Amino acid sequence: MDWSILQGRMVQYRRHFHQYPEVSHHEVKTRGFIQKELELLGLKPFSFSGKDVAVEIEGRAPGKMVALRADMDALPINEETGLPFASKNNGTMHACGHDGHMAILLGLVHFFKENQHQFNGSIRFIFQHAEESIPGGAREVVEAGGLKGVDAIFGYHLWQPLPAGTIGVRSGPVMAGADEFNIRIFGKGGHGSMPNETVDPTLIAAMAIMQIHTIVSRSLNPIEPAVISIGELKSGSTYNVIPDQATLSGTVRHFNPHVSKQVHKRLADILAGICLSYGAKYELDYSYGDPPVTNNEKLYAIMKEKAIDLFGESTVVEMDPQLGSEDFSYYTDRIPGMYTFIGVGNKDLPYGHHHPKFDLDENMFVPTVKLLSDAVVHYLNNGEIL
Ligand code: NI
């Protein structure tokens, strides 16, 4: 493998994707570009959900199947990097690094196409849409049979908080599950001077917020991490009118689906209790979102071993669980999976993911291809070198 040619290619891919970002569920040109590149390699791309692009490469003998997944979507952010290859689609930006994820996955396709005789079994490459939406595109890929026949799946994120040259791994839960809730409180509106004639939904909402914040501290198991944040409260429109409705919305993060159910139940209990005592009514809409991403212990061990072999012990970072969510969980919920963090930060790249000045260190593309290909080949060949 000529690594410098591959690096050049991946940088070109990444900069192309970066210039033409598309948001979740609208990755039309992105998909078209990938499809064309795969066809140029003599491969036959297909799609599970109609929104993703997939392709398979067979090794030299039948065996297990591994899936490799990259996400394709950008964010509704106005880019401020000033880079020569900055976004040409106003208001849309690859501010999470998914442009790099696609470039690397195309790099892996090139690698395995050239090294088909070095592994048994087969590899399925999934370019997945809509990772940033809730629920994510992974659910559609899984429902359309994306994991059929797959024994293990690998995913990765270029990760700005880690310095370039380091690899972040973890066994067990690694990214949180994320739910969303919406609450409507129905009171009785009236004049601000005659509160006795009203049922004030603003006051009830305020009490509900205080009590909701006791769920983590008083209802959940203290050794089970969870976050509840209320990000939105709307009530009334002027100073002397008591409105008839208030709305609240928030997010729940957890590493155990059981926590979701418990929070949902406590929210309902709290709202029922407060509304009963003041004569109000409520509606609670709780959406169970992406489950937590859980890394398989054996795949974690393979990945860690390969990272140490390639880059040395000091480059491997044991990650803390991240409270962000990632729809890779729809895969790890069903089959063994491993989600790895690739350090792409440095002192010249201080802006985090989803920032309008976000950028990443492209020098990590080849090391990522080496790491993932070594791990995949090790898994498919049961550790034997063919
Ligand atoms: Ni991302």
Side-chain angles (χ1 to χ4, degrees):
M1 194 83 217
D2 188 326
W3 293 111
S4 69
I5 291 179
L6 189 66
Q7 170 69 7
R9 250 194 198 125
M10 288 192 285
V11 168
Q12 265 181 4
Y13 287 146
R14 184 256 164 160
R15 293 184 179 188
H16 172 85
F17 292 131
H18 196 87
Q19 282 185 71
Y20 304 102
E22 295 173 302
V23 295
S24 310
H25 295 289
H26 298 276
E27 303 94 331
V28 180
K29 288 185 177 156
T30 306
R31 198 159 65 227
F33 179 90
I34 293 168
Q35 229 164 325
K36 216 184 82 206
E37 285 303 313
L38 296 172
E39 281 162 4
L40 283 172
L41 280 167
L43 299 167
K44 291 196 175 70
F46 59 99
S47 180
F48 289 103
S49 66
K51 292 180 181 172
D52 60 277
V53 189
V55 79
E56 287 176 10
I57 298 180
E58 306 263 328
R60 68 172 200 181
K64 292 182 280 192
M65 188 193 275
V66 159
L68 283 162
R69 172 272 206 173
D71 35 16
M72 299 195 287
D73 50 340
L75 289 153
I77 291 176
N78 223 348
E79 178 157 357
E80 293 172 17
T81 59
L83 289 166
F85 54 90
S87 170
K88 290 191 168 142
N89 298 345
N90 239 343
T92 309
M93 176 189 176
H94 268 295
C96 195
H98 300 185
D99 48 349
H101 299 174
M102 291 183 274
I104 288 166
L105 196 56
L106 282 171
L108 281 157
V109 172
H110 278 273
F111 176 88
F112 281 113
K113 183 85 194 12
E114 219 179 287
N115 294 284
Q116 267 177 296
H117 51 283
Q118 283 186 12
F119 65 93
N120 290 329
S122 55
I123 303 169
R124 177 177 292 168
F125 302 84
I126 302 171
F127 296 85
Q128 181 216 301
H129 62 292
E131 185 278 324
E132 302 279 1
S133 77
I134 289 186
R139 189 156 97 173
E140 291 171 344
V141 171
V142 169
E143 281 169 4
L147 291 183
K148 219 169 165 199
V150 179
D151 298 287
I153 186 162
F154 291 87
Y156 49 90
H157 209 300
L158 299 172
W159 204 242
Q160 186 276 340
L162 286 179
T166 58
I167 306 294
V169 292
R170 183 180 171 81
S171 180
V174 65
M175 299 284 279
D179 302 336
E180 179 186 335
F181 60 84
N182 290 281
I183 296 165
R184 285 169 80 184
I185 293 165
F186 304 98
K188 186 179 164 218
H191 201 291
S193 67
M194 292 180 276
N196 53 310
E197 299 291 326
T198 73
V199 174
D200 184 356
T202 312
L203 179 65
I204 294 166
M207 290 180 170
I209 291 170
M210 298 298 288
Q211 291 209 23
I212 288 166
H213 280 292
T214 67
I215 297 176
V216 171
S217 69
R218 286 297 172 268
S219 299
L220 299 180
N221 183 344
I223 55 170
E224 194 95 77
V227 169
I228 302 177
S229 287
I230 293 164
E232 189 184 17
L233 163 61
K234 285 188 191 137
S235 175
S237 54
T238 189
Y239 78 104
N240 61 351
V241 174
I242 290 171
D244 59 0
Q245 254 188 59
T247 57
L248 305 170
S249 66
T251 184
V252 178
R253 303 293 164 113
H254 62 86
F255 291 97
N256 181 346
H258 172 75
V259 167
S260 281
K261 292 203 186 92
Q262 230 184 321
V263 171
H264 185 180
K265 183 176 182 305
R266 284 297 296 143
L267 281 173
D269 290 349
I270 287 168
L271 289 165
I274 297 176
C275 287
L276 175 70
S277 66
Y278 291 96
K281 288 200 158 53
Y282 76 95
E283 261 173 33
L284 167 63
D285 179 12
Y286 193 98
S287 324
Y288 290 86
D290 297 346
V293 176
T294 306
N295 280 343
N296 175 272
E297 208 183 316
K298 283 185 188 144
L299 299 180
Y300 153 84
I302 293 174
M303 188 61 72
K304 187 172 175 175
E305 183 193 312
K306 295 299 159 192
I308 292 171
D309 287 353
L310 280 166
F311 314 121
E313 191 123 21
S314 63
T315 65
V316 179
V317 179
E318 284 288 341
M319 298 286 285
D320 287 330
Q322 306 291 307
L323 269 306
S325 73
E326 157 64 72
D327 71 354
F328 194 70
S329 52
Y330 287 105
Y331 307 120
T332 64
D333 232 21
R334 286 161 182 84
I335 62 167
M338 176 66 197
Y339 195 73
T340 304
F341 297 85
I342 312 290
V344 287
N346 67 44
K347 62 177 185 344
D348 302 321
L349 303 170
Y351 301 102
H353 296 270
H354 296 205
H355 190 284
K357 291 185 178 168
F358 172 79
D359 191 15
L360 51 87
D361 191 337
E362 292 171 335
N363 292 315
M364 285 306 286
F365 290 179
V366 161
T368 308
V369 170
K370 287 182 177 171
L371 176 63
L372 281 149
S373 56
D374 277 9
V376 166
V377 169
H378 182 103
Y379 176 82
L380 287 174
N381 296 351
N382 293 319
E384 273 175 62
I385 295 164
L386 301 183

